[in-house]
Amino acid sequence: MNVLLLGSGGREHAIALALRKSPFLATLFAAPGNPGIASVAEIVALDLADHAAIAAFCKLIGIGLVVVGPEVPLVAGLVDDLAAEGVSCFGPSRAAARLEGSKAFTKDFCARHGVPTARHAAFSDIAAAKAYARARPVPIVIKADGLAAGKGVVIASTRDEAEAAIAKMLSGGFGVAGERIVIEDFLDGEEASFFALCDGTRGVPFSTAQDHKRAFDGERGPNTGGMGAYSPAGLVDAALEARIMHEIIEPTLAGMAAEGAPFKGVLFAGLMIAADGPKLVEYNVRLGDPEAQVILPRLEEDLLALMLACIEEDLGPRRLRFSDRTALTVVLAAQGYPDAPVAGTEIGGLERAAAMPDVTVTHAGTKLIGGKLVASGGRVLNITALGRDVAEARARAYAAVDAIDWDGGFCRRDIGWRALGRT
Ligand code: AMP
Ligand code: GLY
């Protein structure tokens, strides 16, 4: 089967590597891709916003499956538009992608279906929002309703900070994403990311991860898309997994189906593990980046076959096999990330790093210019290693990081610190 993979980051490079293991794969195409993806797929020039052009390409070439990495095309209804043209696509419909596209939708949905989450209210009026925030305890969390690339959340530790965030978001500081805001109570606990593969009615656990959102060591600095991650999240044992499935994932799938928007694809639950149990912080409707880079190398199943089973509503009752080794990934970012990453600096030593045992290098923001590999984004490379435990995976990943020559980049040196502290 020919497959078209959409996206251009480290997540998509990791998906490409997993799809390549499938005996069902004929040719793997990718758009827009990157130099790393180009070494395992045939790159095609397609604009992810041009759904008609993607459908036309699929029909011309005979693409049996489209795999979408990022959220924006899903929220924009790519799956619906391709389905209308008879093209199969792995991922949620526009209606189901509201679980990521609108925080207000998700919070109201949780209230309708008894999914545990922080108490909240949604506003588009500044005065009403401020009045509500004043009546709640601090810290308090202010969120832009729509997609804001991970930047639309403010955790205010004082009332003044809360009011400033409300005023900024509702007066256009976050564009359309902030025309409506959600204000919610602060949840205390440890965060974990839980993934489920879903076929519209059934969900099966697709492992867990913990990421590191802050730019610098010691959880300091600005929020980023993620500076590193590891899988599995040791915090989520079998008993907690069962609770998460029963209290969060299953009511969500039943509720979405009952509301006429059955969810197919990867459901990524950002959870707070509080003293009284797991609570939903947010949903994403696709694999995470860099979470995919640590989950997919541990998958001991045919990803292509699993994606087809989701589309055909045929996942069945099953437990997916994952390696019991730990994967840990370190993100190498360009100096200045996240505010103003410097582009164009040259990178060397990747072959040396990638040749080390149990190490995989995925490209996130690179470009080939005149035969030289240069940085072209904020997050530029992911160095992933497998090991017996977090300590071994981490030692292997940082040994490979040290084999790379790149003066223009930086990384965190403490990925996995929480898990190391636990053992
Ligand atoms: P979100 O984009 O909704 O995942 O929020 C980004 C980050 O803000 C989360 O990963 C949490 O670290 C934090 N956060 C969001 N909502 C809450 C909450 N209600 N309580 C505590 N932390 C939160
Ligand atoms: N790493 C978080 C995300 O992919 O949204």
Side-chain angles (χ1 to χ4, degrees), residues 11 211 213 225-226 268 282 284 286-291 379:
R11 163 182 51 207
D211 73 347
K213 288 200 170 79
F268 164 177
E282 64 156 359
N284 296 306
R286 34 92 195 159
L287 278 166
D289 188 341
E291 289 85 348
R379 294 188 293 174

Side-chain angles (χ1 to χ4, degrees), residues 71 92 97 99-101 103 147 193-195 213 263 266-270 280 282-288 291:
E71 62 277 15
L99 284 176
E100 178 163 2
K103 291 186 192 291
L147 293 182
S193 299
F194 187 93
F195 295 79
K213 288 200 170 79
F263 187 93
V266 173
L267 187 58
F268 164 177
L280 182 73
E282 64 156 359
Y283 271 132
N284 296 306
V285 298
R286 34 92 195 159
L287 278 166
E291 289 85 348

